[in-house]
């Protein structure tokens, strides 16, 4: 077992483990200063000191440098205050250079060593002249990083079709793979407008209950299949994988149909052991 403190660098971001500094006590939301591959960074405690198994960490575990001082917090606040002006100037420079790119966000390094601008673009962009212009304007080292459309939504945030804050911006530390087959398995409409988020890609929430629906799907007959019910042979009209029920129709011998619901365990049908061969569109969350 090893003692760790969980921290995050931004709301909805990924959780990282750091070793507590001897003599310091941490509480939830305590600001701290840590050292990462990017240099010094300002972060917040998600959960105080606790013990976890060594298999859950990536060694070597870095130590928290210190609880943030008032000076640290004031400097971090000043970086946030400069961000809108930096974004405005960068957008103006992008227009001046005639580059087909969309500025998404920017970050000031906590140690003041550089400014990082994040952007999206349909193709690769030659931004060398832009970097030189920005470096001359800000008198600092400049980095430009191209990100994907999902990352853009994560940075900017927004309200999803469900009426809540987008998962990627609020509670999803890492993107998960989603595919058209997930929507099909869950019985959702395959209309792109109904299963796509504001980023234009498949909604991240399709993956939340995917395992349950994948298992339930295997236990249900297909729509249109013939099944044996307690009342005789019937045709499956629809399935309800939450209630594990099916709706069937049976010929009433008078030219009409009799519709009835059954629990899937009360009907008999031939289960196929052959996996479906489908053309899946895997939406991989890779940084472009």
């Amino acid at each position: 077992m090893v003692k760790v403190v969980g921290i995050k660098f931004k709301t909805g971001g990924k959780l990282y483990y750091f070793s507590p500094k001897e003599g310091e006590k941490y509480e939830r939301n305590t600001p701290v200063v840590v050292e990462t591959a990017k240099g010094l960074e300002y972060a917040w405690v998600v959960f105080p000191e606790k013990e976890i198994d060594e298999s859950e960490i990536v060694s070597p575990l870095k130590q928290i440098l210190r609880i943030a001082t008032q000076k640290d917090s004031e400097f971090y606040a000043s970086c946030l205050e400069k961000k809108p002006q930096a974004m405005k100037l960068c957008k103006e420079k992008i227009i001046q250079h005639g580059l087909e790119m969309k500025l998404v966000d920017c970050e000031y390094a906590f140690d003041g060593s550089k400014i990082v601008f994040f952007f999206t673009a349909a193709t690769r962009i030659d931004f060398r002249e832009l970097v030189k212009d920005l470096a001359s304007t800000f008198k600092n080292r400049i980095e430009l990083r191209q990100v994907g459309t999902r990352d853009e939504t994560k940075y900017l945030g927004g309200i999803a079709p469900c009426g809540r804050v987008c998962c990627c911006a609020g509670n999803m530390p890492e993107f998960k793979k989603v595919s058209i087959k997930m929507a099909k398995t869950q019985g959702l409409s395959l209309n792109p407008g109904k299963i796509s988020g504001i980023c234009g890609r498949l909604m991240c929430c399709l993956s939340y209950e995917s395992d349950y629906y994948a298992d339930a799907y295997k236990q249900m007959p297909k729509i249109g299949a013939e099944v044996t019910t307690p009342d005789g042979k019937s045709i499956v009209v629809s399935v309800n994988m939450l209630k594990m029920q099916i709706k069937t129709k049976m010929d009433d011998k008078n030219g009409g149909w009799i519709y009835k619901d059954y629990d899937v365990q009360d009907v008999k049908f031939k289960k196929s052991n052959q996996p479906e061969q489908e053309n899946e569109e895997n939406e991989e969350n890779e940084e472009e």
Side-chain angles (χ1 to χ4, degrees), residues 30-272:
T30 298
V32 294
V33 177
V34 298
E35 185 173 7
T36 68
K38 298 179 182 179
L40 295 182
E41 291 196 68
Y42 191 89
W44 290 267
V45 173
V46 177
F47 60 78
E49 185 177 323
K50 72 173 185 179
E51 291 188 346
I52 63 172
D53 192 88
E54 290 188 23
S55 61
E56 297 183 44
I57 67 169
V58 178
S59 298
L61 196 64
K62 290 191 174 183
Q63 186 181 70
I64 293 176
L65 295 181
R66 64 179 180 272
I67 292 177
T69 63
Q70 183 175 349
K71 185 177 179 180
D72 291 328
S73 297
E74 289 174 352
F75 179 75
Y76 180 74
S78 70
C79 290
L80 294 181
E81 290 174 0
K82 291 186 289 186
K83 178 177 171 179
Q85 181 65 15
M87 291 281 287
K88 179 182 177 181
L89 288 174
C90 186
K91 287 178 181 178
E92 292 174 354
K93 297 294 182 183
I94 289 173
I95 294 173
Q96 289 176 14
H97 287 271
L99 298 176
E100 295 294 326
M101 55 193 288
K102 179 182 178 182
L103 188 63
V104 174
D105 196 15
C106 82
E107 290 180 357
Y108 276 80
F110 184 68
D111 58 7
S113 62
K114 62 183 177 182
I115 307 173
V116 184
F117 292 95
F118 301 90
F119 71 93
T120 59
T123 59
R124 295 184 67 86
I125 302 293
D126 183 357
F127 48 69
R128 288 174 292 184
E129 292 302 317
L130 174 62
V131 170
K132 292 179 183 177
D133 198 353
L134 290 173
S136 175
T137 300
F138 291 101
K139 309 299 182 185
N140 205 334
R141 188 158 68 91
I142 302 295
E143 281 189 20
L144 264 70
R145 295 181 188 171
Q146 186 169 354
V147 298
T149 53
R150 287 185 185 274
D151 298 281
E152 177 184 0
T153 304
K154 186 176 181 68
Y155 282 119
L156 299 179
I159 303 300
C162 63
R164 296 174 62 88
V165 174
C166 292
C167 296
C168 58
N171 58 18
M172 183 177 285
E174 295 180 308
F175 291 119
K176 295 181 180 180
K177 294 180 181 179
V178 289
S179 69
I180 287 292
K181 186 178 180 182
M182 289 181 178
K184 185 176 181 180
T185 300
Q186 295 174 38
L188 301 176
S189 166
L190 299 185
N191 182 339
K194 294 185 177 181
I195 57 176
S196 299
I198 61 176
C199 62
R201 306 288 291 277
L202 291 175
M203 292 190 291
C204 297
C205 56
L206 289 176
S207 66
Y208 291 173
E209 299 175 344
S210 178
D211 291 343
Y212 168 80
Y213 278 102
D215 183 62
Y217 185 78
K218 297 175 183 177
Q219 302 176 47
M220 306 292 283
K222 295 181 180 178
I223 295 176
E226 185 178 79
V227 297
T228 302
T229 72
D231 302 308
K233 299 286 186 180
S234 299
I235 304 298
V236 179
V237 177
S238 64
V239 298
N240 187 324
M241 285 181 279
L242 290 177
K243 293 183 177 180
M244 294 304 287
Q245 292 180 339
I246 63 172
K247 180 183 287 294
T248 66
K249 65 179 182 179
M250 180 187 297
D251 191 347
D252 66 358
K253 309 301 182 182
N254 293 316
W257 297 99
I258 299 174
Y259 290 86
K260 195 170 182 180
D261 293 335
Y262 297 93
D263 289 335
V264 71
Q265 63 188 18
D266 295 332
V267 301
K268 296 180 180 179
F269 58 95
K270 185 178 180 180
K271 293 184 178 181
S272 174

